[in-house]
Amino acid sequence: MPNAQQATKDESAVIRGVPTGLWIDGASRSATGNAVLSVDDPATGETLAEVADASPEDGLAALDAAVAAQESWAQTAPRERGEILRRSFELMTSRADELALLMTLEMGKPLAESQGEVAYAAEFFRWFSEEAVRVAGQWSMSPDGATRLMTLKRPVGPALMITPWNFPLAMGTRKIGPAVAAGCTMVVKPAAQTPLSMYALASILQEAGLPDGVLNVVTTGRSSAVMAPLIGDPRLRKLTFTGSTEVGRKLVEQSAEQLLRVSMELGGNAPFLVMADADLDAAVDGAMLAKMRNMGEACTAANRFLVHESVAEEFADRMAQRMAALRVGRGTEAGVQVGPLIDEVSRDKVSSLVQGAVDGGARLLAGGEPVGDRGWFYAPTVLADVPADAAMLTEEIFGPVAPITVFSSVDEAIFQANDTEYGLVAYAYTKDLATALHLAEQLDTGMVGINQGVVSNPAAPFGGVKHSGFGREGGREGIEEYLETRYVGIRP
Ligand code: NAD
């Protein structure tokens, strides 16, 4: 384990290496009036760095740069765009240690998880470097034989990308990768809590050869005031957002004015089903991943554990043992498995959801309280017999808390799983193929994980239904979000 002084030296070096000004037209510049906003370490509450705090005029300057670069970028050869992504993938991979440390510092997750996210984030660049050269249209004859029908794909145009703090790199590369591949320019607005990872990424893309103006990054403490003029600007053609359902809904309304192409990756309330015949060892392993990846701060986090009555008690006991054994601490420390939550508001929300469930009659099997007197830590928590009206069963917990309820039939499990306005992902453990297929068809979500606790994969279409949003990121579908189809009728 490194001694504290050494770690601090590495930490300041990695932070000093990141540009902290607004990234506009390939250069880092200060915000109007030199305004700054501070970036805090959620493990200590201390300020790590200050980054530029954009004004609405600064935001529009970023859009100006994206608009100016659009035409020549759209004409750049697909192979060249793909090679830039490929080099960015390689640069991210070779700098994984620095990027991971930076992410852990500003976001809190343990270093091993940050390393995992850097690898996952870089994979979107590799995937879309391969997709860039596979964009194709169609050629066919009209049914009456008189006309030839040709379709070709065109980049949508300048895109605005608004991303959350929970996966500071991957939520960016999942949008930037396909936009670069398709030939769109962009303005990215990362969350105010985690801007450093995105600025580090901007300079990597530049080093990989991305022309100035294609990617612009603005950070601001006034998201609504700075984003609204961009969303209302007729030069913008696409809005892609990852974040809460509440903010997503407002942005969809705003995007109606200019009739933007819109993609929304919003909140979730994932059910995790354990059927009577499940392999319980595998189910507990999967449950730990589905719950504890990112300290539970994931849209895909299992939010409700629905367990068949015949195995519920054993499952709950095993989960309680595993959760109680996890080591909580600052993500930079060796052996730490659970970092702090992002801020005080999030930590207090988790506390009040747990208190509400306990007051309503839930049995506390592990955890149940904040940890330490510095930073925003919360103990890994397991609750059994959670009453049906507990708020944690309907709201996103976004923390390390596993509520367990029971069911007695497959139909009841499906009903409970679908009884939510969200529809991002569902997980199910069963050894029976017919049950697995039935669940895959009946669960009302954009993604289903069968006998696996993680579904995220750059080669798969990630996204939700209902209030979890629309549009897909990754997979073959991911690039389509940044392409328009043009049809040309040709009469020979
Ligand atoms: P959030 O909605 O508060 O913020 C997301 C982003 O939107 C941030 O950059 C924020 O600054 C910005 N923003 C907030 N208000 C805005 C406004 N009025 N106009 C323009 N921009 C605005 O969400 P968060 O707390 O950062 O992230 C957590 C949420 O994100 C959770 O609900 C989680 O489920 C969701 N999420 C979804 C996915 C997915 O792929 N479906 C992935 C990760 C996170």
Side-chain angles (χ1 to χ4, degrees):
M1 193 169 137
N3 68 46
Q5 209 169 353
Q6 182 60 42
T8 307
K9 237 162 70 191
D10 289 351
E11 290 168 14
S12 358
V14 85
I15 290 168
R16 270 200 313 274
V18 179
T20 53
L22 306 174
W23 188 267
I24 298 179
D25 206 11
S28 181
R29 62 160 97 154
S30 352
T32 305
N34 292 322
V36 289
L37 78 129
S38 62
V39 184
D40 300 337
D41 179 346
T44 61
E46 281 164 18
T47 297
L48 293 167
E50 285 180 335
V51 298
D53 184 3
S55 67
E57 293 73 33
D58 295 326
L60 284 169
L63 181 61
D64 291 344
V67 170
Q70 179 59 62
E71 200 178 322
S72 67
W73 183 236
Q75 283 165 13
T76 303
R79 174 70 77 203
E80 202 175 322
R81 297 200 299 259
E83 293 290 312
I84 291 168
L85 288 175
R86 176 72 203 200
R87 283 195 292 276
S88 303
F89 160 75
E90 275 153 17
L91 284 168
M92 285 179 79
T93 306
S94 69
R95 292 191 200 149
D97 287 347
E98 293 103 289
L99 289 169
L101 178 56
L102 190 63
M103 188 185 298
T104 289
L105 290 172
E106 64 177 353
M107 188 276 169
K109 69 181 81 177
L111 269 179
E113 286 209 49
S114 293
Q115 303 250 7
E117 183 180 338
V118 174
Y120 172 55
E123 283 297 339
F124 283 101
F125 284 172
R126 175 149 70 169
W127 175 262
F128 286 108
S129 76
E130 293 154 355
E131 291 293 283
V133 291
R134 313 245 185 279
V135 174
Q138 285 185 0
W139 174 261
S140 62
M141 192 183 283
S142 64
D144 64 3
T147 297
R148 304 299 176 269
L149 314 176
M150 181 175 81
T151 63
L152 49 98
K153 299 282 182 173
R154 302 280 309 148
V156 169
L160 174 61
M161 308 176 164
I162 303 179
T163 58
W165 48 263
N166 60 344
F167 293 100
L169 278 178
M171 297 303 99
T173 58
R174 215 158 75 158
K175 301 181 190 301
I176 297 166
V180 166
C184 294
T185 62
M186 64 212 88
V187 175
V188 182
K189 195 211 77 67
Q193 295 93 331
T194 56
L196 299 172
S197 298
M198 188 57 69
Y199 280 133
L201 187 66
S203 67
I204 283 180
L205 279 153
Q206 183 177 55
E207 200 177 326
L210 192 72
D212 295 349
V214 173
L215 170 92
N216 305 278
V217 182
V218 291
T219 43
T220 178
R222 294 171 292 157
S223 300
S224 177
V226 176
M227 292 296 103
L230 272 75
I231 299 169
D233 191 305
R235 297 172 301 166
L236 188 77
R237 290 318 315 141
K238 161 105 194 161
L239 170 65
T240 168
F241 172 76
T242 300
S244 61
T245 296
E246 189 191 350
V247 173
R249 195 175 278 121
K250 283 190 209 149
L251 294 176
V252 170
E253 278 175 27
Q254 287 178 36
S255 65
E257 192 185 328
Q258 297 297 340
L259 294 167
L260 298 177
R261 278 278 298 271
V262 179
S263 312
M264 290 279 143
E265 297 284 355
L266 307 177
N269 179 4
F272 187 105
L273 279 58
V274 183
M275 312 314 281
D277 69 340
D279 172 339
L280 222 51
D281 291 334
V284 172
D285 286 346
M288 290 299 292
L289 262 179
K291 181 72 254 178
M292 294 307 292
R293 177 171 176 244
N294 230 37
M295 290 85 73
E297 291 174 316
C299 50
T300 50
N303 208 60
R304 300 170 286 152
F305 290 87
L306 315 182
V307 187
H308 189 266
E309 58 192 3
S310 62
V311 290
E313 202 162 317
E314 190 178 351
F315 177 84
D317 286 348
R318 291 214 217 168
M319 279 294 284
Q321 275 178 28
R322 292 278 292 270
M323 292 282 271
L326 292 175
R327 192 163 154 221
V328 180
R330 190 169 190 241
T332 49
E333 285 165 28
V336 161
Q337 293 156 298
V338 186
L341 298 179
I342 191 71
D343 54 26
E344 189 171 12
V345 175
S346 299
R347 203 267 317 266
D348 290 352
K349 180 181 172 194
V350 170
S351 276
S352 89
L353 286 173
V354 170
Q355 196 53 53
V358 169
D359 291 348
R363 260 186 313 133
L364 188 62
L365 302 183
E369 56 192 3
V371 177
D373 48 14
R374 240 159 77 96
W376 317 120
F377 298 95
Y378 197 86
T381 297
V382 178
L383 295 157
D385 305 333
V386 177
D389 62 354
M392 67 166 60
L393 298 182
T394 52
E395 290 176 29
E396 270 191 307
I397 301 170
F398 243 58
V401 177
I404 300 174
T405 62
V406 298
F407 64 84
S408 48
S409 71
V410 174
D411 285 348
E412 189 189 349
I414 292 170
F415 176 80
Q416 285 181 18
N418 290 341
D419 189 17
T420 165
E421 73 260 33
Y422 293 106
L424 190 61
V425 57
Y427 306 92
Y429 274 73
T430 174
K431 283 192 228 154
D432 184 65
L433 181 61
T435 309
L437 286 175
H438 182 59
L439 290 170
E441 286 170 5
Q442 296 301 316
L443 291 168
D444 202 3
T445 53
M447 302 175 285
V448 178
I450 302 286
N451 296 329
Q452 60 184 66
V454 174
V455 291
S456 306
N457 190 314
F462 188 105
V465 297
K466 302 199 286 188
H467 291 198
S468 293
F470 44 82
R472 293 293 179 266
E473 294 190 325
R476 290 276 173 78
E477 291 83 346
I479 197 166
E480 291 297 329
E481 304 283 327
Y482 298 87
L483 293 169
E484 298 283 15
T485 299
R486 178 175 298 165
Y487 146 58
V488 184
I490 303 169
R491 204 167 272 259

